[in-house]
Amino acid sequence: MVRKRGSLILCGAFLFVACNGLLLLFLWGRPPIGRLGEGGGAEPGGREEWGVAKRKGGGTNLAGEVIRLAEEVESELETQKELLKQIQSHRSLWEKRRGMGRRQTDGGKIENKEEHKPPPQLPPVPPKDDSENKDPSQEKNKQEFIVAAVPDLKVDTQLDNDIKELNYTKLEVTVTSPQVVIPILVIACDRVTVKRSLDKLIQYRPSAELYPIIVSQDCGHAETARVIGSYGSQVTHISQPDHSDIRVRPEHRKFQGYYKIARHYRWALNQVFDTLSHSTVVIVEDDLEVAPDFFEYFRALHPILTSDPTLWCVSAWNDNGREGLVDPGKADLLYRTDFFPGLGWMLLKDVWAELEPKWPTAFWDDWMRHPEQRKERSCIRPEISRTMTFGRKGVSLGQFFDQYLRYIKLNTDFVPFTKHDLSYLMKENFDVNFVKEVYSAPLVKIEELQQGGGLKEMGPYRVQYSSRESFKVMARNLGVMDDLKSGVPRAGYRGVVSFLSRGRRVFLTPPEGWTKYDVSWS
């Protein structure tokens, strides 16, 4: 037992001497460690600068090297200790800051979201220099380093005087996107009654900045120009410079006015989009009066128009908007329509860029209804019109005015459309609901809808046409407009015309399973 214990002691002593011998050999052959940032690194011949004394014969003072290494380790540990103290002293302040961020402010104001931010991260601690070669500004730099790493906090020496309590002022933030400017382009010529149009536009306009009124005048009519000029800075007056006659075919001489109108439209729209650089426009003519919610209507529908590629205009007009054909209690009811209505309509710049190169020389509104322009796109139109026309005299010589247009009902109730969810007008939403509502309505005969027909319910009901002739007969009997443009009925969508007849909702429809319009019906 004694022999074993003695053997173990001898082995331990041998291992101790061997390990220390290896350590001395390692340190003897180790290159000296230079100070960072003093321009030398481990360059040959730089030992004096590194603070390593040479012995005669080229040796190194091993004891001094070991002592210097120990001092560096101790200094590094001291730095880490100081940083841990700083972090510990501010931990309670960080906890308080996060707690305040979670607290809900009175009155429903937006709360501080500091709790979602991760705690400040300290960058790695830079290596510390020799204690004997410290830069006098090192302590100051260390304090600035800590303050930069922990925003809004001071070093310990300043906390007692400068930070007694963290106070946060919570701001009520309203995030609003810039509103689109929607100019109103008034197409004018020689009607001094343009004053009636401009008076209503200015009366109902909520903002001159968001809805600048641009009056574009053709004809050079001096009296009309004076009326427009009397509004001063309330409107912008521009004049189409070319008043010359347009060469037309002999049989079209009586249509000279239609050619000039098409030329004027092209020039005026180029002024709005190219010269004035607007992104959208609402076009009215000098014989239209607008409703109180005219501007609200177009403001609310602008996002729908810009986001749905199956739409290409928004119109304020219902071709079948006569008294008795519309529901006076449904001023907020809106539809999609495949028929281009005009008479107060919104156009986007990118659509104009598509149309302008091929703009027609005459009859621009009928041209807009051709399949090549429409490209199966639709417009939005209201149940109750937001415009009405008072201009019987014009190039159309009062066509449809006495029979239809003079009876169009103008909306008088302000509908806050911008507060309504209008996403139901997007094609993918509207089509499903519209088709379901239309074709689930009972199919009846016209005679049943007329007086004494025997129908007791208020509808809706459906009457069905199967040809161009049957559509015209039914439309005339029910009091709606019977003309078709490129096979599309006025105010129709998917071939369906919706209106009231004797107080009942009626759908004049093609057979179920409708696919497309027949242009031969024009």
Side-chain angles (χ1 to χ4, degrees), residues 326-508:
V326 295
D327 189 339
K330 294 289 183 66
D332 61 342
L333 186 58
L334 307 177
Y335 294 90
R336 294 173 69 98
T337 176
D338 297 321
F339 190 88
F340 172 72
L343 295 172
W345 55 289
M346 181 187 287
L347 174 70
L348 299 178
K349 184 174 184 177
D350 58 349
V351 176
W352 176 243
E354 171 194 326
L355 299 175
E356 196 272 342
K358 54 180 180 177
W359 190 251
T361 55
F363 312 108
W364 69 268
D365 49 350
D366 281 343
W367 176 84
M368 289 278 287
R369 293 161 185 152
H370 293 170
E372 295 79 13
Q373 280 64 254
R374 191 171 70 83
K375 296 181 179 178
E376 299 187 352
R377 293 173 292 192
S378 304
C379 296
I380 302 296
R381 60 99 173 165
E383 169 79 358
I384 304 177
S385 292
R386 265 58 187 184
T387 57
M388 63 166 286
T389 179
F390 54 82
R392 184 181 186 279
K393 180 183 177 182
V395 294
S396 64
L397 302 178
Q399 184 184 21
F400 297 127
F401 184 85
D402 291 330
Q403 187 178 359
Y404 294 105
L405 302 183
R406 67 184 301 176
Y407 301 109
I408 293 293
K409 176 178 173 59
L410 180 67
N411 181 61
T412 56
D413 300 325
F414 185 93
V415 177
F417 283 113
T418 55
K419 294 181 172 61
H420 291 192
D421 181 3
L422 301 179
S423 60
Y424 72 90
L425 292 166
M426 303 289 281
K427 183 175 177 63
E428 63 270 19
N429 300 328
F430 190 86
D431 283 11
V432 173
N433 296 325
F434 183 72
V435 170
K436 181 179 178 181
E437 180 185 13
V438 168
Y439 288 98
S440 63
L443 183 62
V444 300
K445 296 179 179 179
I446 287 182
E447 293 78 14
E448 296 178 89
L449 292 172
Q450 293 172 340
Q451 191 170 8
L455 294 176
K456 296 181 181 179
E457 302 296 330
M458 295 307 295
Y461 292 103
R462 178 166 61 96
V463 290
Q464 185 169 293
Y465 64 88
S466 57
S467 65
R468 176 181 182 274
E469 289 70 27
S470 63
F471 171 81
K472 284 185 167 289
V473 168
M474 290 183 178
R476 288 171 189 156
N477 277 279
L478 293 168
V480 298
M481 297 187 76
D482 67 345
D483 62 320
L484 302 111
K485 304 288 185 180
S486 297
V488 183
R490 289 183 183 267
Y493 184 67
R494 295 176 62 92
V496 178
V497 180
S498 174
F499 56 95
L500 288 191
S501 177
R502 300 184 182 276
R504 300 184 179 94
R505 177 62 59 183
V506 175
F507 301 116
L508 178 57

Side-chain angles (χ1 to χ4, degrees), residues 112 236 352:
N112 191 292
T236 299
W352 176 243

Side-chain angles (χ1 to χ4, degrees), residues 190-260:
D190 57 357
R191 287 190 180 108
V192 293
T193 51
V194 67
K195 178 176 171 55
R196 178 173 171 182
S197 293
L198 294 177
D199 284 348
K200 289 297 182 181
L201 284 169
I202 292 170
Q203 177 184 346
Y204 297 135
R205 177 172 63 174
S207 166
E209 290 73 29
L210 292 178
Y211 307 96
I213 298 172
I214 304 163
V215 186
S216 180
Q217 187 187 2
D218 201 1
C219 312
H221 191 251
E223 191 175 353
T224 302
R226 280 194 294 272
V227 170
I228 298 168
S230 69
Y231 288 88
S233 61
Q234 294 182 94
V235 305
T236 299
H237 185 192
I238 60 177
S239 297
Q240 200 282 114
D242 186 1
H243 302 154
S244 64
D245 285 341
I246 300 171
R247 297 183 65 180
V248 299
R249 301 194 306 270
E251 62 271 23
H252 274 205
R253 284 174 185 164
K254 62 181 178 180
F255 300 132
Q256 179 75 213
Y258 289 101
Y259 283 84
K260 289 185 175 182

Side-chain angles (χ1 to χ4, degrees), residues 163-200:
I163 297 182
K164 299 299 182 184
E165 184 178 358
L166 287 175
N167 294 315
Y168 288 90
T169 302
K170 298 192 176 184
L171 301 177
E172 184 174 2
V173 180
T174 304
V175 180
T176 58
S177 57
Q179 293 198 64
V180 176
V181 174
I182 303 178
I184 312 301
L185 174 63
V186 182
I187 300 293
C189 184
D190 57 357
R191 287 190 180 108
V192 293
T193 51
V194 67
K195 178 176 171 55
R196 178 173 171 182
S197 293
L198 294 177
D199 284 348
K200 289 297 182 181

